[in-house]
Every structure is written in C-alpha cells, then in structure tokens.
Amino acid sequence: MYQYDEYDQRIVDERVAQFRDQTQRYLAGELGEDEFRPLRLQNGLYIQRYAPMLRIAVPYGNLRADQMRMLGHIARTYDRGYGHFTTRQNLQFNWPRLEDVPEILAKLATVQMHAIQTSGNCIRNVTSDPFAGVAADEDIDPRPWCEIVRQWSTFHPEFAYLPRKFKIAVNGAKEDRAVIQVHDIGLDLKRDAEGRIGFRVLVGGGLGRTPIIGEEISPFVPWQDILSYCEAILRVYNLNGRRDNAYKARIKILVKALGIDAFRSQVEAEFAHLKGGPATLTVDEVHRVADHFVDPSYETLPASDAGYTDQLAANKAFAAWARRNVRAHKQPGYASVVLSLKKTGIAPGDITADQFDSVAVLADAFGFGEVRVTHEQNLVLADVKQSDLFAVWEAARDAGLATPNIGLLTDIIACPGGDFCALANAKSIPIANAIQARFDDLDYLHDIGEIEINISGCMNACGHHHVGHIGVLGVDKNGQEWYQVSIGGDQGNDTALGKVIGPSFAADEMPDVISSLIETYTANRHDDERFIDTVRRVGADPFKTRVYADREARKQAHV
C-alpha cells in the first residue's frame, strides 16, 4: 500500500489544524452558517437529517489493519459504535458531534487518513477494483495509477470549484469491477499492439437524476499523457459545464448536449496545449509510486491445498461459505476472501467497532495487514493462504462477518436513505432488511443464483439502483414513502440501465414484489441462467404482468 511521505503528512496535518480553528470560530459565533458550510464540506462534514455525518476517504478502497483499528476506536469513542461503508468505497460516521470532528480528523491523520475531497464540487475519491493486484484476470495493476490520479487531483487549484462533483474510476482487469462506465471519467488500462501501456478513456457516465452510460472519448492514451488528457477533459467541463442548474451541472449533461464528437474535438484542442507540459508523467515518477505496490512475501505453495480440500468435503457450512465468499487468486495456494457486511437484520454496509477490530486481527494474521472495500459494501482480505481459509471462516463467523451470500439476493446494496440522509425521499434500510428476512433461507438463495438488488432512497442514486438487476428507488407521493421498481440493470462489462416496470409500491408490499419477480424468473429461466440473462431473453413484460397480477390478487384477498 501507498505510505505517506513527509509532504503528504504535512498537508493532512495542516488541514486538520485549519479545520480545528474554523470549527472553534464557528462554535464561538465568529463564523456564520453560510461561511462555515463550504469549510465543513471541504472536510467531508455534512449536516444530515438528525446529526452531522463525516465521510472519510478510503483511496481506491485500500485500508491497513492499523487504520481499521483507528476507525473502530473512533466508532466506539466518538460515534454510536459503528460506521457505514458506501458504494464509493468510503466510510461514513453518522453520529459524530460537531465539536468532536476536528479531533476525529486529528486521530485519522495519525494513521494516514483524512476526509479531504469527500464532498464539494471537486474530484472525489478515486475508486477501483477491490481485487487489484491479485485477480486472475488482471492485465495491469490499477493501484499505482489510482494513486497517481489521487495525488494529482488532491488540492488541484484549477478544479477545486467545478460545476459539480466529479468521479474517476480505474480498471485494469478483463472484468470491470470498478463500474467505469457510470463515472465522469472511466480509465481502462490497456496495452497496444506493441505492448505499450495506456488507457482507454470513457467520459460522461453517471447515475442520479439523469442516468447515462459513459462513451469512449479515446481508445488509447499513452500512460505518459493520461494526467494531461484528464486535465483537458476537466478544463472543457469547467469552462462549459452549467452552473445555473445543479440538476444539469454534471459532465454527462454537457457531453450529451454537445455530442461525444464535438466534446472530443474540444478536449483534443485543449490536450494539444497540455501535451508535454508539467503534468506529463515520467518513468521515475511512476516508479516512485509503483514501488509501494509490490507483491507481498508470498510463500511457494501447491496450487491446491489438501487440507483445504478435505475441510470442504467434511464441513457443509464451510463449503457453502467458500463457494460464495472465496475467490481465485493469481498466486498458487492463495485465495481472496470477501467478508460479508450483509447479515440479515443489519443495514447493508454497516460495521461495528468490535468488527473493525476483528477485521484488523484477521488482516494481520492472515492477509499481510491489508483490507479492501468493495463497491458492493463488503470487505476483502486479498491474500489468504488456502491452508488458512478454515481458520479465517471460523473467526469471521464468530465476528458476524461470514454470511455466505456474496452475489446472492441478500447481498443488497443500499444507501443510508431516510433513516439518516436529509435528501432522501424514503427509507432504504428497512426495505433491505425486509427483503433479507423474506429470503433468509440459504438453500433457496443458492437455488435462485446470482442476482443484484440495489436500493436508493432518492434520485441521487447513492445505492446505484439504476444498475441493479432489480433496482428500488424511494419516491415521495403526497408525503408518503413509495418505491419504484426497475429490472434489467447491470454493472461491469455489460453495464446497462434498468427499466421501470410500472407504478410504485408501498413499503409493506416490497417483499411480495421481490417474491413475484423471483417466481417469474424461476418459472422462465433456462438451466444455469441468471436472473439478468432471463430478463434480457424474455423481456420485462412477463415480470410486470406477474407482479401487478399478484398485487391485485393480494388486494382482493385482503378485502
């Protein structure tokens, strides 16, 4: 992992001191609300429905064990004993006291963490593949490039006040686990015919009120020029992006309005001025960063561990967990483990202070002291010996982190919703919990197979409902909470936006709606066909017909 140098640490420490002074002046009445608001947002501090919320940056989803312990300490000392991992691979504390936030930031700085650029109209946290560096299908490790982008974008003076927030994702594998097609800029690492490294660049993706899949603006930008090319994109956006309407201020609106060809022409013209300039990367600069991302000290092991194989045969519960929560590794004898934060009855993505500590212990004992955060709001131990998997499972089970549901129906993505967020139209967490409770049968979950349910409490789409196989959006109808359902969304290489099946549903109807969708799927599927594949093959009509017919039957039975 990347380690701060003296400059990184000085920047973070100075920011903590500045915000401590700003907060003290605000609490003393020397700064008004309008003056303090941009200052707190620059430090990741929101005022939510009931309390402040502090969003902490987790660059490209990578954490160390000591950082996990610090997060557990903060949760226990300054919050209500838990935190929440988001779809942006960040962490949120939902109940800190305003007067404690400077001290929380000071604690974070001691373990090389901060909340810089987790809010505001700037370049946000760079996200990537949680299996970077270990995935069997990886072509190029994206982590050094993520770090280069992070350093370039942090406090970039030209892009501190963009028309709207800006998100960049980087992928280096055949399978896109970073969902680059729904980001403002998506960077896909490639090699050209001569083997030279560069980036396929996508632009103008995003979800929210106007969901749009990004378009290719360049098939290949050499690595030396990637920062200059991103800078050209941002300059065109900064100059032409709308500032008169927050709903139309994202770069996706500009790209759509101009058309990708016209937008590309402007970017290429700007790039002509920037190419070869100060942002041009050198071999030495790339090596300076890449040297922090060398492989750990792997042991030479057989491809398959006999003890692990025996335990799979002897223990049904362990085998069920391994089937869903263990992934192949590029190194023989190793595997990656996904720790599920989707236990039934717990808000998706939530983690307690004790679980922070438990994960840190697991990381130190079995994972070279490293933890990853997934887009799906789970955690990963990237480097575990196969011979240690049974011990990891036992410890994770004791900590409540071993639910064998990764990729299954109860592995739900959900934003905090109306329980916390002041922007939400409806609650997300109770809907997720109700669906999980309805399908809390592991045998049935495995029979249903892989399916993704994403829930958002409002059109901002923090739960990424547009790209869920089943998407659920909270809406307000005359002051009441209702839920709009879409199907057919997908993320990854085949990213697609779901389509709404019809009128919205009351909260207590949602488990029945999901049941109707699943029953339609199982009645129509071919062997080994996933839910999304069946939807693509038969279309939405059979699902829509069944859902609303079942709804009418329930109403008549109730009457």
Side-chain angles (χ1 to χ4, degrees):
M1 286 183 61
Y2 179 77
Q3 301 283 328
Y4 282 13
D5 60 22
E6 61 178 300
Y7 302 105
D8 296 304
Q9 193 65 54
R10 186 189 309 158
I11 287 171
V12 172
D13 289 341
E14 288 176 353
R15 171 55 74 92
V16 170
Q18 290 165 1
F19 189 62
R20 191 187 296 277
D21 176 66
Q22 291 160 356
T23 303
Q24 290 173 347
R25 286 190 287 144
Y26 171 72
L27 293 173
E30 297 172 11
L31 287 177
E33 184 63 46
D34 290 342
E35 294 171 301
F36 185 62
R37 184 175 181 273
L39 301 176
R40 63 172 171 78
L41 288 175
Q42 289 170 12
N43 290 279
L45 182 61
Y46 292 73
I47 302 301
Q48 295 287 69
R49 190 177 296 271
Y50 303 112
M53 180 272 282
L54 180 63
R55 180 180 294 146
I56 296 164
V58 183
Y60 37 95
N62 284 22
L63 285 164
R64 302 193 308 261
D66 63 321
Q67 294 171 331
M68 290 293 288
R69 289 190 176 89
M70 179 56 72
L71 293 172
H73 169 72
I74 291 170
R76 191 177 289 113
T77 307
Y78 299 103
D79 206 273
R80 294 189 177 180
Y82 69 97
H84 174 78
F85 284 107
T86 77
T87 54
R88 294 291 305 159
Q89 299 179 307
N90 288 321
L91 181 86
Q92 294 179 179
F93 286 119
N94 289 311
W95 299 100
R97 298 192 310 158
L98 174 59
E99 52 267 40
D100 289 334
V101 170
E103 189 58 30
I104 293 172
L105 296 177
K107 295 283 188 184
L108 290 170
T110 66
V111 291
Q112 303 186 345
M113 295 188 76
H114 59 77
I116 295 167
Q117 291 183 204
T118 59
S119 179
N121 296 333
C122 58
I123 300 173
R124 299 286 187 89
N125 189 48
V126 179
T127 57
S128 192
D129 182 0
F131 300 98
V134 302
D137 68 331
E138 184 173 87
D139 295 321
I140 304 165
D141 188 345
R143 293 173 299 168
W145 304 100
C146 289
E147 179 59 27
I148 286 168
V149 172
R150 186 197 70 81
Q151 293 187 24
W152 162 77
S153 63
T154 300
F155 294 139
H156 195 302
E158 192 172 347
F159 307 131
Y161 296 101
L162 295 167
R164 198 70 175 84
K165 58 186 176 182
F166 202 91
K167 300 174 181 178
I168 300 174
V170 187
N171 178 56
K174 292 180 176 64
E175 180 185 346
D176 174 19
R177 288 174 289 268
V179 205
I180 62 172
Q181 294 182 65
V182 292
H183 283 75
D184 299 292
I185 291 178
L187 301 177
D188 200 14
L189 278 155
K190 297 291 181 186
R191 297 182 191 272
D192 66 10
E194 285 73 41
R196 293 172 297 195
I197 293 174
F199 296 83
R200 171 178 174 248
V201 182
L202 308 179
V203 70
L207 300 177
R209 186 174 298 271
T210 309
I212 296 175
I213 293 175
E215 299 186 71
E216 182 180 285
I217 187 171
S218 176
F220 190 84
V221 175
W223 62 265
Q224 296 93 333
D225 298 323
I226 191 59
L227 295 185
S228 299
Y229 198 81
C230 288
E231 199 157 296
I233 292 172
L234 278 150
R235 280 191 175 182
V236 172
Y237 170 53
N238 207 13
L239 179 65
N240 299 301
R242 293 187 60 171
R243 285 181 162 86
D244 62 323
N245 187 330
Y247 300 123
K248 297 183 178 181
R250 296 291 295 270
I251 192 174
K252 61 187 178 183
I253 303 299
L254 177 63
V255 173
K256 200 72 174 177
L258 293 175
I260 187 63
D261 291 335
F263 185 83
R264 182 187 295 111
S265 295
Q266 292 193 32
V267 169
E268 292 292 343
E270 190 64 43
F271 179 53
H273 295 292
L274 294 169
K275 188 175 182 180
T280 304
L281 290 169
T282 64
V283 171
D284 288 344
E285 174 64 6
V286 172
H287 282 170
R288 178 187 70 82
V289 176
D291 286 348
H292 292 279
F293 297 95
V294 297
D295 286 342
S297 300
Y298 294 126
E299 297 179 24
T300 301
L301 300 172
S304 179
D305 180 76
Y308 171 53
T309 302
D310 292 343
Q311 288 159 339
L312 288 174
N315 192 308
K316 181 179 178 181
F318 173 63
W321 174 79
R323 187 161 62 250
R324 297 310 317 176
N325 297 46
V326 175
R327 288 182 57 98
H329 197 286
K330 69 176 185 179
Q331 185 73 16
Y334 285 81
S336 296
V337 170
V338 183
L339 301 173
S340 174
L341 299 184
K342 308 297 177 60
K343 186 176 181 180
T344 298
I346 305 298
D350 276 10
I351 179 171
T352 68
D354 290 343
Q355 287 174 328
F356 275 118
D357 293 341
S358 296
V359 174
V361 170
L362 284 169
D364 277 336
F366 303 110
F368 297 102
E370 186 181 355
V371 183
R372 313 279 184 87
V373 185
T374 75
H375 158 75
E376 294 85 2
Q377 301 171 286
N378 294 307
L379 299 177
V380 170
L381 300 176
D383 302 289
V384 179
K385 290 191 290 187
Q386 289 182 13
S387 58
D388 289 332
L389 286 171
F390 191 82
V392 170
W393 171 66
E394 288 186 310
R397 184 184 55 183
D398 291 343
L401 298 169
T403 305
N405 65 343
I406 301 305
L408 300 179
L409 190 149
T410 58
D411 185 15
I412 296 172
I413 293 175
C415 71
D419 285 304
F420 299 98
C421 182
L423 300 176
N425 295 316
K427 294 180 174 65
S428 300
I429 295 169
I431 303 303
N433 289 343
I435 295 169
Q436 288 173 326
R438 173 67 64 88
F439 291 91
D440 193 24
D441 181 324
L442 287 173
D443 289 336
Y444 187 37
L445 286 178
H446 284 281
D447 179 61
I448 295 169
E450 294 183 1
I451 185 170
E452 299 167 2
I453 298 181
N454 295 22
I455 305 174
S456 299
C458 75
M459 283 300 297
N460 287 308
C462 293
H464 295 188
H465 64 277
H466 297 102
V467 293
H469 296 167
I470 298 175
V472 180
L473 168 64
V475 295
D476 183 309
K477 290 176 63 175
N478 301 318
Q480 295 183 322
E481 297 180 0
W482 287 73
Y483 296 87
Q484 191 180 77
V485 175
S486 59
I487 62 173
D490 201 6
Q491 61 183 35
N493 294 359
D494 299 318
T495 295
L497 304 175
K499 296 182 179 179
V500 177
I501 63 171
S504 55
F505 303 90
D508 59 3
E509 295 182 279
M510 285 308 301
D512 291 327
V513 171
I514 302 301
S515 292
S516 295
L517 291 171
I518 297 304
E519 289 164 6
T520 308
Y521 157 59
T522 56
N524 287 276
R525 69 180 172 183
H526 291 167
D527 290 344
D528 298 323
E529 190 174 50
R530 299 176 304 155
F531 177 91
I532 184 62
D533 299 323
T534 301
V535 172
R536 288 171 177 163
R537 178 173 55 82
V538 305
D541 285 347
F543 294 89
K544 178 178 180 178
T545 299
R546 174 66 180 269
V547 167
Y548 289 101
D550 288 351
R551 184 192 203 191
E552 188 60 31
R554 287 191 298 271
K555 287 182 178 179
Q556 291 177 1
H558 178 71
V559 172

